[in-house]
Amino acid sequence: MDARRNPFAPGAGTRPPELAGREDLIEASAVALDRIRAGRAARSTILYGLRGVGKTVLLSAIRDAAEAEGMAVVAIEAPENRSLPGILVPALRAALLRLDRVKQASAGVKRALSALAGFAKLKVKYDDLEVALDFASEPGLADSGDLEADLADLIVAVGEAARERGTAVVLAIDELQYVPEEQLAALISALHRANQRQLPITLVGAGLPQLLGQMGRAKSYAERLFAFVPVGPLDAAAAGDALRLPIEREGEAIDDAAIAAIVAETEGYPYFLQEWGKHSWDTAEASPITAEDVALATRTALAELDASFFRVRFDRLTPAEKRYLRAMATLGPGPHRSGDIADALGVKVSSVAPTRNTLIGKGMLYSPAHGDTAFTVPLFDAFMRRVLPD
Ligand SMILES: Nc1ncnc2c1ncn2[C@@H]1O[C@H](COP(=O)(O)OP(=O)(O)OP(=O)(O)O)[C@@H](O)[C@H]1O
Ligand SMILES: [Mg+2]
């Protein structure tokens, strides 16, 4: 069918034509944000799930809803190899200056900017921290040089500024699993302090499943401070909506059998639904899209994934890491016992532990329970078997 009108949007963080199956999550987070702005108790939200499951678009939807409600959103993505102070400072500064535009000369915002100036002295420790210092620091405010103490001062000052302005500040941080553990600990403890004072500042974070363990290790009370929300594949009804509604809006149709075939191939994973929807549309000669069209589209979709989505991840691996993942793939989708993987490789668990650790660090693997190992990329096991056949 006409590729120009193809509604599907496979990508990273690309808004889907239909954000299916997430209504409850969006509503729950809107309730939490409203409570926080009103100075009532509510937990910060952490969205966690595998690659391509829709965390970033969900975070964007929550962010947009908060902005529409007049809250101040500080949106950042934690890239690999950057420090939290380095990414937080410029974003917070911009948000504070925006807060100040609403009404000039706010004492709370001025104080928060002074806290930021004090905090920025941490650049002696975090060399990626760069900020225009257009505000004088206040002696004793966020300037001790200790990250945990200074971040708490800063977050509290920002929360007080938000309260003075009658709004809430929402820190929206994507890829939170890349924040090193001691910096994560400082962030959690700062939010804890603001939470105890019922200040209207909160975190909506998103990341891979290893984030749960990282946060729990960083601060044991993290589980009480945050609502950990699993973001998983869509169930059959939501996956059907994600496919059918965009097609129908273009005045075209898709068979039930075709939808069932796509749901089976993709296991309901949002990114793959977009890819299969796109390829099925392009493959079909005419509406309605049928199961035969999907069978053909599966070949082109897989070929394209193997050349891009899966491939870029594969190309970042060392030979030892590839062997480890290939051994896991032999055992199936997982999770697998680390001992079973070592057995499949014919080595001792301890000798491959470093490889497993670097794979976790690269965001390829996570440990759903002690001694278990699983892929963070859905359907990666089948890819490993295709790319490295026996
Ligand atoms: N609820 C949904 N319904 C339909 N499509 C969706 C849904 N959520 C996400 N998608 C689509 O899935 C793809 C992946 O979404 P997104 O980038 O948000 O995933 P992610 O979990 O952030 O992945 P990563 O861990 O790689 O960052 C996008 O193409 C997006 O349009
Ligand atoms: Mg993402």
Side-chain angles (χ1 to χ4, degrees), residues 36-306:
I36 284 162
R37 177 165 56 179
R40 291 174 184 273
R43 289 185 286 176
S44 290
T45 305
I46 301 293
L47 309 167
Y48 69 94
L50 302 182
R51 288 282 172 212
V53 87
K55 301 177 296 295
T56 299
V57 298
L58 197 53
L59 193 60
S60 302
I62 292 171
R63 231 170 73 186
D64 292 350
E67 267 169 355
E69 288 276 309
M71 298 181 200
V73 175
V74 181
I76 49 188
E77 182 182 319
E80 256 176 299
N81 310 320
R82 285 290 311 271
S83 76
L84 180 68
I87 55 171
L88 196 57
V89 163
L92 264 183
R93 177 170 176 274
L96 286 170
L97 294 177
R98 274 201 309 277
L99 264 187
D100 215 25
R101 264 212 313 266
V102 189
K103 191 175 73 184
Q104 286 298 314
S106 150
V109 174
K110 293 236 147 56
R111 188 153 190 280
L113 284 164
S114 302
L116 199 60
F119 186 80
K121 294 183 177 162
L122 278 169
K123 70 169 173 285
V124 295
K125 279 191 199 155
Y126 303 98
D127 55 13
D128 62 343
L129 200 170
E130 280 165 24
V131 67
L133 279 179
D134 46 5
F135 249 85
S137 57
E138 181 186 314
L141 180 64
D143 67 350
S144 74
D146 173 60
L147 176 65
E148 190 149 329
D150 292 352
L151 190 58
D153 277 2
L154 176 62
I155 294 292
V156 164
V158 174
E160 283 167 345
R163 184 167 62 190
E164 190 194 86
R165 291 270 115 147
T167 186
V169 169
V170 181
L171 306 176
I173 310 185
D174 203 359
E175 303 281 359
L176 203 51
Q177 78 281 346
Y178 286 138
V179 174
E181 233 159 76
E182 100 279 356
Q183 297 169 34
L184 199 57
L187 178 66
I188 297 168
S189 112
L191 288 163
H192 187 207
R193 182 111 81 81
N195 180 273
Q196 283 169 331
R197 300 180 184 198
Q198 305 217 335
L199 290 170
I201 180 163
T202 188
L203 168 72
V204 184
L208 293 173
Q210 50 261 54
L211 190 53
L212 258 74
Q214 289 170 347
M215 294 187 73
R217 276 194 302 275
K219 290 285 168 192
S220 57
Y221 54 80
E223 65 197 59
R224 278 163 287 150
L225 197 57
F226 298 95
F228 288 100
V229 179
V231 183
L234 301 181
D235 63 25
D241 285 349
L243 294 164
R244 182 183 296 106
L245 297 178
I247 293 172
E248 287 179 355
R249 275 187 217 121
E250 290 298 326
E252 309 291 357
I254 179 166
D255 275 359
D256 288 343
I259 288 188
I262 295 180
V263 173
E265 289 290 346
T266 60
E267 297 174 17
Y269 280 101
Y271 169 65
F272 297 128
L273 288 172
Q274 296 299 324
E275 284 286 4
W276 258 260
K278 170 174 172 272
H279 284 273
S280 300
W281 173 289
D282 285 349
T283 303
E285 291 291 338
S287 191
I289 298 169
T290 64
E292 287 78 66
D293 296 326
V294 173
L296 280 174
T298 294
R299 300 234 298 269
T300 58
L302 279 177
E304 210 173 290
L305 288 172
D306 286 0

